[in-house]
């Protein structure tokens, strides 16, 4: 029995919330971000603004040059947090097994609803209708038997999109896509793969492992499996209350470098100490990052063996950071959380 996973992502999240709260903005190009004088960047643009070439992370000055009639709105992060909670509540009511990835997107495991393919498509439609009814926002949904295809599919029919990849068609769905479509392939990995002649996901799926290893090292095996449509990662709920964590907000934003890495070490040591004090081990390590523009993401990794040693926690957190940090990123907050806590001696799940 295949697992069925949906990935749901709100369309133009911040801009849609602004259009929701201010009807005058509906149907118009809207860009959300600080003023150009402050050298601000665009956090997001409404779909009406996107044909002008405006996108996230572009300097606001350039966005307003591309589309002078666009309405600029300063971000209201508290409000986005509030709407995010409403969206996640709808997801959680739909299926208890959800994994939020950021304010506006989550994986949902809908296997238990037991409909399989092709009925899962009407299930996704039902979810879209529920979100719309509760929040007046549209989400795009991708679905499939694994996280990789669900996530990629949700992006392909935006906005208000829906695309379900039939079981057995994972590899053929991925095959024509450019290598950067795969999770974990950022600009650096993409450049190296292109250089080595790997252009599409299909090229990766067929690659000799030794050739791929020469380019991406130990990630070769996983990358090739993912490209072949094999991805066994489960939808993992982050249990906020059943976790031990530590976070730091910096007095000024930091790029990924020695200072950030040192802070990560300090946090890992602190979490490790608190786990040991309580006699606990963690099966999940969560890295939390808040970007300079307040966008907050979490990334997590799980292991069957509980972890508690500082070096273990640190190496997991470092791997997660390495997976997301890109040149030019600046962070205002970093956090390490340990979840899926078990009693270090008995191995039994802990309920604290
Ligand atoms: P996304 O889901 O990546 O983008 P989006 O919802 O605006 O548009 P769509 O999903 O339809 O492509 O990000 C969600 C929110 O996160 C976005 O509305 C604003 C914020 N964000 C930033 O602040 N900076 C960024 O660089 C990105 C990509 C997003
Ligand atoms: Mg979105």
């Amino acid at each position: 029995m295949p697992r069925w996973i949906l990935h749901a992502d709100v369309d133009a999240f911040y801009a849609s919330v602004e259009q929701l709260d201010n009807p005058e903005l509906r149907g118009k190009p809207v860009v959300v971000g600080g003023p150009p004088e402050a050298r601000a960047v665009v956090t997001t643009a409404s779909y009406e603004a996107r044909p002008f070439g405006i996108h996230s992370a572009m300097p606001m000055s350039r966005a307003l040059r591309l589309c002078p009639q666009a309405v600029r709105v300063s971000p209201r992060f508290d409000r986005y947090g509030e709407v995010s909670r409403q969206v996640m509540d709808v997801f959680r009511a739909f299926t208890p097994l959800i994994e939020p990835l950021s304010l506006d997107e989550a994986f949902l495991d809908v296997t238990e609803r037991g409909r399989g393919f092709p009925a899962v498509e009407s299930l996704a439609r039902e979810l879209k209708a529920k979100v719309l009814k509760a929040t007046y926002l549209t989400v795009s949904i991708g679905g499939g038997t694994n996280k990789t295809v669900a996530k990629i599919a949700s992006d392909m029919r935006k906005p208000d999109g829906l695309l379900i990849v039939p079981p057995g068609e994972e590899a053929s769905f991925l095959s024509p896509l450019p290598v950067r479509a795969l999770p974990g392939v950022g600009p650096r990995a993409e450049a190296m793969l292109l250089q080595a002649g790997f252009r599409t996901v299909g090229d990766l799926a067929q690659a000799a492992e030794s050739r791929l290893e020469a380019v991406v090292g130990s990630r070769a095996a996983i990358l090739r499996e993912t490209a072949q449509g094999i991805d066994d990662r489960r939808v993992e709920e982050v249990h906020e209350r059943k976790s031990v964590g530590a976070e730091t907000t910096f007095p000024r934003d930091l790029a990924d470098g020695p200072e950030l890495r040192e802070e990560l070490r300090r946090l890992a040591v602190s979490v490790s100490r608190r786990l040991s004090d309580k006699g606990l081990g963690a099966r999940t390590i969560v890295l939390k990052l808040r970007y300079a523009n307040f966008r907050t993401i979490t990334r997590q990794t799980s292991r069957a063996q509980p972890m508690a040693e500082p070096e273990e926690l640190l190496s997991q957190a470092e791997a997660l950071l390495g997976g997301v940090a890109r040149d030019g990123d600046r962070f205002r907050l970093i956090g390490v959380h340990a979840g899926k806590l078990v009693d270090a001696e008995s191995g039994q799940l802990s309920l604290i």
Side-chain angles (χ1 to χ4, degrees):
M1 263 284 286
R3 206 177 293 136
W4 274 99
I5 296 175
L6 302 180
H7 178 261
D9 185 312
V10 179
D11 300 317
F13 180 48
Y14 294 0
S16 302
V17 173
E18 296 304 334
Q19 289 177 323
L20 178 65
D21 290 352
N22 180 358
E24 282 185 9
L25 298 179
R26 292 181 199 166
K28 291 189 183 156
V30 172
V31 283
V32 180
E37 311 84 80
R39 296 193 302 121
V41 294
V42 175
T43 63
T44 194
S46 71
Y47 274 83
E48 293 84 358
R50 295 190 191 193
F52 294 88
I54 301 177
H55 56 75
S56 296
M58 169 183 283
M60 185 57 78
S61 53
R62 178 162 156 70
L64 295 176
R65 271 201 306 278
L66 287 171
C67 181
Q69 70 273 36
V71 184
R72 182 190 68 81
V73 184
S74 288
R76 296 178 299 146
F77 298 106
D78 288 350
R79 175 70 179 134
Y80 309 145
E82 190 176 279
V83 178
S84 170
R85 275 190 295 282
Q86 292 169 359
V87 173
M88 296 300 158
D89 283 349
V90 176
F91 291 171
R92 213 167 274 117
F94 198 73
T95 173
L97 191 47
I98 77 160
E99 179 179 336
L101 300 177
S102 70
L103 279 185
D104 81 325
E105 62 178 311
F107 284 117
L108 296 88
D109 188 320
V110 293
T111 314
E112 287 299 306
R113 300 192 59 146
R115 298 238 222 131
F117 186 81
V120 68
E121 184 164 325
S122 53
L123 207 56
R125 253 184 244 293
E126 193 183 319
L127 178 61
K128 282 163 70 72
K130 290 205 152 113
V131 175
L132 188 65
K133 183 147 183 267
T135 66
Y136 301 102
L137 296 176
T138 60
V139 288
S140 291
I141 296 185
T145 61
N146 73 48
K147 282 182 165 180
T148 300
V149 295
K151 170 120 174 132
I152 293 174
S154 74
D155 243 3
M156 289 178 109
R157 299 272 191 274
K158 267 183 169 288
D160 202 11
L162 174 56
L163 178 61
I164 306 288
V165 178
E169 292 184 19
E170 294 80 4
S172 56
F173 164 75
L174 295 173
S175 174
L177 304 176
V179 290
R180 69 167 172 281
L182 287 185
V185 177
R188 261 174 299 188
E190 181 192 17
M192 291 189 298
L193 288 167
L194 289 176
Q195 177 86 27
F198 299 110
R199 210 173 42 79
T200 64
V201 177
D203 294 340
L204 297 177
Q206 287 165 13
E209 202 165 307
S210 57
R211 268 197 66 213
L212 204 50
E213 241 169 43
V215 187
V216 296
S218 59
R219 290 163 58 201
I222 288 186
L223 189 62
R224 195 173 65 153
E225 279 199 344
T226 310
Q228 290 168 342
I230 303 166
D231 171 7
D232 295 331
R233 290 174 301 153
R234 290 172 184 277
V235 175
E236 307 250 18
E237 190 156 19
V238 182
H239 298 277
E240 291 260 23
R241 265 166 308 158
K242 295 177 195 165
S243 75
V244 169
E247 338 192 305
T248 306
T249 302
F250 307 119
R252 58 188 172 79
D253 300 338
L254 287 184
D256 184 12
E259 251 183 290
L260 189 75
R261 296 285 169 154
E262 182 49 38
E263 191 53 35
L264 194 62
R265 166 172 290 277
R266 216 185 53 75
L267 294 171
V269 169
S270 153
V271 172
S272 162
R273 190 170 302 142
R274 285 160 56 197
L275 287 173
S276 308
D277 284 351
K278 297 191 164 101
L280 296 172
R283 290 220 176 105
T284 300
I285 302 298
V286 182
L287 175 74
K288 178 170 166 185
L289 289 168
R290 180 164 298 141
Y291 290 86
N293 61 13
F294 280 93
R295 181 172 191 232
T296 306
I297 60 166
T298 59
R299 291 288 182 274
Q300 66 180 68
T301 175
S302 296
R303 285 228 312 242
Q305 277 305 102
M307 299 168 271
E309 293 298 318
E311 292 307 322
E312 274 181 305
L313 302 189
L314 181 62
S315 69
Q316 301 291 322
E318 281 184 329
L320 292 170
L321 179 59
V324 287
R326 304 275 175 259
D327 289 346
D329 283 348
R330 300 188 74 78
F331 303 101
R332 62 170 57 227
L333 172 149
I334 189 166
V336 175
H337 294 262
K340 297 262 172 67
L341 302 183
V342 297
D343 189 291
E345 277 182 14
S346 70
Q348 296 292 309
L349 267 182
S350 162
L351 293 179
I352 60 138

